[in-house]
């Protein structure tokens, strides 16, 4: 699709003698993997930090950034705390589902 078109345009702009194909192709494959991995975590993540930000009335971006800094400062302890918080929120959502009527039981 779009990636192949931009890659072919890149190849046409660069003379064939100056650059070999393999390093650029490997870099593109690595970037695609990184984007797919990022998309997976954004789509299937628990959303613990965004829910915390919502409760605190803050932007989710600022809470995530603070979490990243704290994770590096505490050598990963806060990541374990995040996983625990995400697990507890997931359980809470499963237990306390909002039912609209008695017949939903």
């Amino acid at each position: 699709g779009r990636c192949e078109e931009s890659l072919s345009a890149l190849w046409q702009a660069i003379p064939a003698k100056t650059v070999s194909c393999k390093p650029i192709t490997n870099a593109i494959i690595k970037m695609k993997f990184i984007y797919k991995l990022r998309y997976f975590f954004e789509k299937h993540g628990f959303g613990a930090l965004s829910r915390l930000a919502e409760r605190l009335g803050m932007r989710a971006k600022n809470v995530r950034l603070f979490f990243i800094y704290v994770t590096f400062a505490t050598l990963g302890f806060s990541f374990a705390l995040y996983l625990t918080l995400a697990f507890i929120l997931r359980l809470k959502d499963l237990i306390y589902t909002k039912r609209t009527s008695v017949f939903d039981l």
Side-chain angles (χ1 to χ4, degrees):
R2 197 175 87 209
C3 294
E4 289 90 16
E5 293 171 4
S6 61
L7 181 61
S8 64
L10 177 68
W11 287 124
Q12 291 172 1
I14 299 172
K17 294 181 182 179
T18 59
V19 175
S20 66
C21 302
K22 195 144 179 96
I24 292 177
T25 306
N26 289 341
I28 291 173
I29 291 171
K30 288 178 185 177
M31 288 303 294
K32 281 185 179 181
F33 174 74
I34 290 170
Y35 283 125
K36 284 182 182 180
L37 186 67
R38 179 180 160 209
Y39 177 75
F40 174 80
F41 282 117
E42 286 178 354
K43 184 176 180 185
H44 299 290
F46 292 117
L49 293 178
S50 55
R51 288 174 70 173
L52 179 65
E54 195 175 299
R55 288 251 175 153
L56 296 174
M58 298 173 64
R59 296 172 128 189
K61 177 183 173 185
N62 293 338
V63 174
R64 288 182 187 125
L65 190 61
F66 175 75
F67 171 75
I68 290 169
Y69 290 147
V70 170
T71 300
F72 283 118
T74 60
L75 301 174
F77 174 72
S78 60
F79 184 68
L81 183 68
Y82 170 78
L83 290 178
T84 305
L85 178 65
F87 181 72
I88 291 170
L89 287 174
R90 179 71 82 176
L91 283 178
K92 183 182 118 350
D93 289 343
L94 291 174
I95 293 171
Y96 296 112
T97 55
K98 189 181 241 184
R99 294 185 174 90
T100 56
S101 73
V102 178
F103 301 108
D104 289 341
L105 297 173

